[in-house]
Amino acid sequence: MTNNLGTFDVAIVGGGPGGSTLAALLRKQGRSVCIVERDSFPRFRIGESLLPFSMDTFRETGVLEKIRQAGFLVKNGARFVVDETLEEECFWFKNGLDTEHPFAFQVQRAPFDKLLLDHAVELGAKLFQPLAATGFRNEGDYAVLETAQGEISAQVVCDVSGRWTFMSSRQKQRKIHPSHRKVTVFGHFRNVVRDEEDESNIIIARFGDTRMGWFWLIPFADGTTSVGVVADGEYFRQKGQSPEQFFKESIEVSRSFKPRMEKAELIGELRSEADFSYTSERHVADRLIKVGDAGAFIDPVFSSGVFLSVKAAEMAAGVIRQAFASGDFSEKSFAAYEEKVRQGTKVFWAFIDAFYNKDFLKQMVTSRRRQLLQRSITSLLAGDIYNDRNMLIAYLTGKEGAYADKELQALMG
Ligand SMILES: Cc1cc2nc3c(=O)[nH]c(=O)nc-3n(C[C@H](O)[C@H](O)[C@H](O)COP(=O)(O)OP(=O)(O)OC[C@H]3O[C@@H](n4cnc5c(N)ncnc54)[C@H](O)[C@@H]3O)c2cc1C
């Protein structure tokens, strides 16, 4: 006989930032919620630089003050560098179109994810950990989440399983982005030379046409620093190097990162990942909603992952509230959620495509002379992606009529 683990309003797969945030928001609505998380926490996870616009969501769940008190490094800006020419510009969040979002945090994900998960439990979410979800069934008037130890019944199941894409993989809906097949190698280091103007800044340096890639430098409060390289997958394969050799050589030939890494000491091991940009044919189905990386993941150059995941959690909590009010848990009733998620992803993808095109990076690093452009870029970097007043979004997404707009032409120079 199958073991019955309980009945909840909502069952969530995954206790990363998206899952914990969704659970906290649903608990605030008074819903009974469970989280099924396969790993024991704390555990390593990449994705360490947060965006200012996720602070609103953390304030809403009540966890922002706990993040602050935990002593994570406050992040004030993002510096972008053209590796070949060393042209650079720093975007300070306080100078965005919206001046209400001046900071975010740089976080080691092991303690950060645990803090968020503990907060959801404190609000009353039931946690099954470590426990792997193994299947999903829609039984018509309720859903069943199958796990390694038994079944959970719920009105709706939310897949927040991250890049493991619990449901999209089973549904064969996961599609790797064909023109963004990248490889990344990264690690944590001691003795990295940080941003000279404000040591809390993230630094992103873009390099070479054929290699199509970039470095990141993300500082932490304990003095250690996350450094990674992202490059074109095809280029990496042609080199035939190990991830360690590739990382070492990439740093060696970099004008901007070599001096920063001269005395760096690796802590633990270098890690690598490949083909991390993908989407799903659908983000919803009857009694099922995919949230965050479980639905799609975009190139991480603008540190958008955690932000998009917690924003999607906020939007999912909104449609779930409506579903409980109407009693309608159909795919159709979740359609507006999917559209809004796709809209946000589209804005970032347009920005990412522009970044890999050297001309726009040039516009970025010379934007100091064009205040409106600089403020518009800063807002996008902060995560203000649903802002209709940001003409840059209209330009990047090719919104009809945008090119004819005088204000926009002035913006782009
Ligand atoms: C190279 C790189 C750099 C990045 N840099 C940044 C950055 O600077 N800033 C940023 O915001 N983002 C960054 N990201 C993205 C970030 O890692 C993710 O977007 C973020 O972790 C998504 O959160 P999530 O809650 O959706 O998923 P996750 O954090 O992946 O959490 C999913 C959870 O689900 C659990 N799970 C999976 N399958 C099951 C199952 N079957 N049963 C139970 N549990 C399951 C996993 O154990 C995991 O804990 C980066 C990503 C990459 C690849």
Side-chain angles (χ1 to χ4, degrees):
M1 213 181 90
T2 317
N3 194 17
N4 180 359
L5 296 179
T7 300
F8 299 84
D9 289 334
V10 185
I12 295 172
V13 181
S20 299
T21 301
L22 179 58
L25 291 168
L26 291 170
R27 282 302 302 141
K28 293 208 148 216
Q29 290 177 21
R31 293 284 146 215
S32 61
V33 183
C34 75
I35 301 173
V36 176
E37 168 55 55
R38 154 175 93 174
D39 280 350
S40 297
F41 281 18
R43 52 93 177 93
F44 179 87
R45 195 92 187 82
I46 192 63
E48 299 154 327
S49 193
L50 304 185
L51 299 191
F53 271 72
S54 34
M55 299 305 117
D56 295 342
T57 318
F58 294 138
R59 195 173 290 114
E60 176 84 20
T61 63
V63 80
L64 184 60
E65 201 42 44
K66 289 184 184 175
I67 297 174
R68 213 191 287 271
Q69 279 170 14
F72 291 109
L73 194 62
V74 174
K75 167 188 175 187
N76 298 309
R79 183 176 301 279
F80 284 83
V81 183
V82 181
D83 196 61
E84 288 84 354
T85 61
L86 297 182
E87 287 170 293
E88 60 173 38
E89 183 57 289
C90 185
F91 298 86
W92 302 96
F93 298 125
K94 64 175 188 218
N95 297 334
L97 293 172
D98 171 313
T99 51
E100 305 290 300
H101 295 81
F103 73 92
F105 296 96
Q106 313 281 23
V107 302
Q108 277 142 318
R109 288 285 300 277
F112 179 75
D113 286 15
K114 180 156 178 6
L115 187 147
L116 260 51
L117 189 58
D118 288 349
H119 181 67
V121 171
E122 204 173 289
L123 292 179
K126 166 83 180 155
L127 176 62
F128 295 99
Q129 183 185 35
L131 178 62
T134 52
F136 162 85
R137 297 195 314 272
N138 176 12
E139 296 284 5
D141 50 359
Y142 65 100
V144 172
L145 181 66
E146 299 160 3
T147 78
Q149 283 168 23
E151 295 190 346
I152 295 167
S153 306
Q155 287 301 311
V156 58
V157 169
C158 294
D159 175 7
V160 203
S161 61
R163 284 204 293 292
W164 293 275
T165 57
F166 168 64
M167 281 310 294
S168 289
S169 300
R170 281 172 175 71
Q171 297 165 313
K172 307 221 177 321
Q173 288 191 0
R174 191 183 198 269
K175 304 268 172 269
I176 291 175
H177 199 297
S179 55
H180 275 269
R181 303 198 72 154
K182 305 279 179 196
V183 166
T184 177
V185 187
F186 51 89
H188 286 180
F189 296 84
R190 275 186 217 96
N191 300 330
V192 173
V193 178
R194 297 173 169 190
D195 190 283
E196 284 74 11
E197 214 174 338
D198 180 337
E199 69 149 8
S200 75
N201 288 336
I202 184 173
I203 303 176
I204 302 286
R206 188 198 178 286
F207 55 71
D209 267 344
T210 47
R211 294 175 291 155
M212 291 296 280
W214 48 279
F215 293 104
W216 78 73
L217 183 158
I218 300 171
F220 301 124
D222 66 1
T224 64
T225 304
S226 172
V227 177
V229 58
V230 175
D232 193 52
E234 192 46 42
Y235 174 77
F236 174 77
R237 274 180 286 280
Q238 278 169 12
K239 296 283 285 181
Q241 292 174 322
S242 69
E244 290 76 14
Q245 286 169 326
F246 186 76
F247 183 89
K248 211 172 153 209
E249 190 190 283
S250 301
I251 296 285
E252 195 52 41
V253 299
S254 162
R255 285 190 73 192
S256 61
F257 265 56
K258 188 179 177 197
R260 297 195 179 280
M261 296 293 286
E262 223 118 56
K263 298 202 169 93
E265 287 167 46
L266 178 66
I267 306 162
E269 52 175 348
L270 282 176
R271 300 168 192 255
S272 60
E273 294 197 26
D275 287 342
F276 35 80
S277 296
Y278 57 81
T279 188
S280 296
E281 272 162 37
R282 297 305 312 268
H283 290 268
V284 294
D286 290 346
R287 296 194 182 275
L288 177 73
I289 301 179
K290 300 170 194 169
V291 175
D293 284 16
F297 183 67
I298 63 178
D299 192 291
V301 64
F302 296 124
S303 312
S304 53
V306 170
F307 161 74
L308 286 172
S309 188
V310 301
K311 263 292 159 228
E314 199 182 304
M315 296 188 283
V319 289
I320 290 171
R321 184 199 290 275
Q322 285 166 11
F324 275 99
S326 64
D328 182 358
F329 295 90
S330 65
E331 175 174 319
K332 212 167 145 213
S333 75
F334 302 144
Y337 162 81
E338 173 160 336
E339 202 186 314
K340 192 94 183 168
V341 167
R342 286 193 191 281
Q343 190 192 332
T345 316
K346 189 177 163 192
V347 170
F348 267 118
W349 261 128
F351 198 19
I352 289 161
D353 279 337
F355 170 82
Y356 279 103
N357 167 336
K358 267 204 169 146
D359 284 348
F360 189 74
L361 185 61
K362 182 97 185 155
Q363 302 256 26
M364 280 178 76
V365 295
T366 56
S367 60
R368 197 172 299 188
R369 284 178 260 125
R370 283 158 294 162
Q371 279 294 306
L372 183 56
L373 177 60
Q374 190 167 59
R375 292 182 66 205
S376 304
I377 293 170
T378 307
S379 282
L380 256 186
L381 293 172
D384 193 9
I385 53 171
Y386 294 106
N387 182 349
D388 291 339
R389 287 184 304 115
N390 191 339
M391 301 301 294
L392 183 60
I393 294 179
Y395 170 79
L396 290 172
T397 55
K399 204 166 164 188
E400 220 170 301
Y403 290 88
D405 191 289
K406 281 206 175 66
E407 195 179 343
L408 186 70
Q409 283 170 0
L411 176 78
M412 297 306 291

